[in-house]
Amino acid sequence: MHLVRLLKRNNRKPKKEPSMNTFLTLIDPTSLAANPLVLVALVFTGATIGVIGGLFGVSGCFLLTPVLAEIFGMDYTYAAGMASCHAVGIAATGLRRHTRVGSVDIRLGLTIAVGAAMGAIIGSKLLDLLKVIVFAGNSDDLDFTVRIIYLVLLVFVTTLFVKPAKAGDSSILQKLQLGFRWQVPGEPEKTFSGPGTIIAAFLCGIACGFLGIGGGVLYLPLLVIAVGAKAQNAIRVSLLIVLCSAIGATIGHAWADHVSLTGAMMMIIGSSIGVQGGALICQKLHTEKLKRYFIFVLLSTMGLIIWKLIHP
Amino acid sequence: MSKLIMKTLFVGLCLLAPAIWGLTIEAVFYKLRRKSASCKTSEEK
């Protein structure tokens, strides 16, 4: 508890708005480098998130943002910015690792990614606008709203994983008759609506930019459940989308000075090693067991947010 | 103007630094994996 209190005292909120006086203030607006203990804690947090990312093929930012906000006591805007920056590194690493094993449907991935990246930029700007216009700079009210939205999203994703679509049934986007059609990755006999997928990816992108998550937790169900792609193909396409979405969100957050590059790099040092360990464990575990563990991680994240809502 | 350059530099750094670090570590681990795999096959032979 002492460490948590110490971390909170150092990182609760920036004492003043980050100035543009020096480049150093820009790199480290929350003065994280002032406390070596916080930097070490960030490396360990990154390593843990990396193991989870490697295990489930996601960037792990759906867990990282609440951890930074609730345990490190960071402002949600800074937590979202750092998580987006961290997602760039993790998605690039994951994509490189997966492309060594098999090919990625680049055309599908990039087309969805364009919609997702545009959504992510809008999402990160929306968070900024909400803070300034709706909440008049009141971070506590903004944090409460973000927590509620996060909770709703996690409940939705958990429901998708608990109740998967029946085998043999056409997915939602395969049934949707809107605009041009694309072939389902790995299943050339099946097609799905292209514009419908771009719209869905755009909406997911807004959620990613707003909440500072890489989006694997959203794009994976989108590709597996809504598009009907096979898991391995979906993971590769999802990682490409996550990378593009994270790039969009990072541009938005960095432009608004909401990224502590020092903190993000500390986490990447840990997570780039952790992700290799997670991928090794993943090879030894059965798919059903992996799914159950993933639901447990989602429920734990929900528990952390609910606990913070009850005890602000 | 310098403010704009600094911001652009910062955005570029936020994108490039994590990606380069991640890819470098992945390349190192890939070489290690290949090395251990070739060691295993030579042991089996």
Side-chain angles (χ1 to χ4, degrees):
Chain A
M1 281 313 281
H2 177 71
L3 174 72
V4 173
R5 245 179 266 139
L6 187 71
L7 296 174
K8 283 192 175 181
R9 202 167 56 217
N10 278 280
N11 295 300
R12 183 64 212 166
K13 268 158 210 163
K15 302 227 169 23
K16 52 182 180 180
E17 280 297 306
S19 69
M20 286 291 297
N21 292 338
T22 60
F23 197 66
L24 277 177
T25 353
L26 201 63
I27 288 173
D28 191 16
T30 45
S31 306
L32 285 171
N35 192 340
L37 196 64
V38 177
L39 296 182
V40 173
L42 281 173
V43 174
F44 279 103
T45 308
T48 315
I49 299 291
V51 171
I52 292 166
L55 202 55
F56 305 113
V58 292
S59 65
C61 294
F62 69 98
L63 183 64
L64 185 57
T65 309
V67 163
L68 287 176
E70 315 304 358
I71 297 176
F72 283 77
M74 274 180 196
D75 219 56
Y76 247 101
T77 43
Y78 282 90
M82 277 172 66
S84 301
C85 185
H86 171 264
V88 173
I90 288 299
T93 313
L95 189 64
R96 185 72 194 102
R97 198 187 160 107
H98 276 90
T99 47
R100 288 192 207 276
V101 183
S103 62
V104 187
D105 191 339
I106 292 176
R107 194 193 63 172
L108 170 68
L110 283 182
T111 319
I112 299 176
V114 170
M118 279 160 64
I121 293 172
I122 291 171
S124 60
K125 287 282 163 205
L126 199 69
L127 185 69
D128 225 23
L129 278 176
L130 261 180
K131 188 179 180 180
V132 176
I133 298 169
V134 182
F135 297 103
N138 189 336
S139 296
D140 291 336
D141 287 347
L142 178 71
D143 286 358
F144 182 80
T145 315
V146 173
R147 276 183 196 129
I148 295 288
I149 296 170
Y150 217 142
L151 209 56
V152 172
L153 190 80
L154 286 173
V155 169
F156 173 68
V157 174
T158 312
T159 321
L160 287 180
F161 274 96
V162 171
K163 283 187 176 178
K166 284 175 192 168
D169 277 4
S170 291
S171 66
I172 307 160
L173 289 166
Q174 283 177 18
K175 285 178 193 162
L176 185 71
Q177 298 297 324
L178 179 72
F180 55 90
R181 316 274 306 164
W182 279 331
Q183 284 179 343
V184 176
E187 288 179 72
E189 69 280 2
K190 288 180 183 172
T191 59
F192 64 97
S193 166
T197 313
I198 296 170
I199 293 166
F202 178 73
L203 294 175
C204 289
I206 291 178
C208 294
F210 188 81
L211 298 169
I213 55 177
V217 79
L218 293 178
Y219 298 123
L220 210 55
L222 172 76
L223 288 159
V224 175
I225 297 162
V227 171
K230 281 182 179 164
Q232 279 304 321
N233 293 312
I235 286 175
R236 284 183 209 127
V237 177
S238 163
L239 277 170
L240 181 63
I241 305 165
V242 168
L243 179 64
C244 298
S245 169
I247 287 172
T250 307
I251 291 171
H253 284 298
W255 199 261
D257 301 337
H258 288 157
V259 178
S260 169
L261 191 60
T262 316
M265 283 311 291
M266 284 295 136
M267 288 191 297
I268 289 161
I269 289 170
S271 61
S272 56
I273 297 162
V275 81
Q276 306 291 336
L280 272 178
I281 302 168
C282 176
Q283 287 167 3
K284 290 173 184 169
L285 283 178
H286 191 262
T287 314
E288 274 305 307
K289 241 183 188 175
L290 268 176
K291 211 169 97 177
R292 247 179 278 152
Y293 290 153
F294 190 60
I295 292 168
F296 174 73
V297 172
L298 286 174
L299 289 173
S300 308
T301 317
M302 277 191 260
L304 183 71
I305 297 169
I306 291 169
W307 185 72
K308 266 291 165 183
L309 280 170
I310 298 166
H311 306 281
Chain B
M1 188 61 191
S2 64
K3 205 172 172 177
L4 191 74
I5 293 166
M6 253 203 322
K7 271 208 173 189
T8 316
L9 256 173
F10 178 60
V11 172
L13 206 62
C14 282
L15 294 175
L16 286 177
I20 290 170
W21 176 267
L23 291 175
T24 311
I25 294 289
E26 165 55 25
V28 170
F29 273 89
Y30 177 65
K31 275 189 181 169
L32 286 174
R33 280 200 302 272
R34 274 187 68 184
K35 223 177 188 179
S36 72
S38 63
C39 280
K40 267 183 190 173
T41 38
S42 62
E43 270 175 21
E44 279 169 9
K45 276 178 184 175

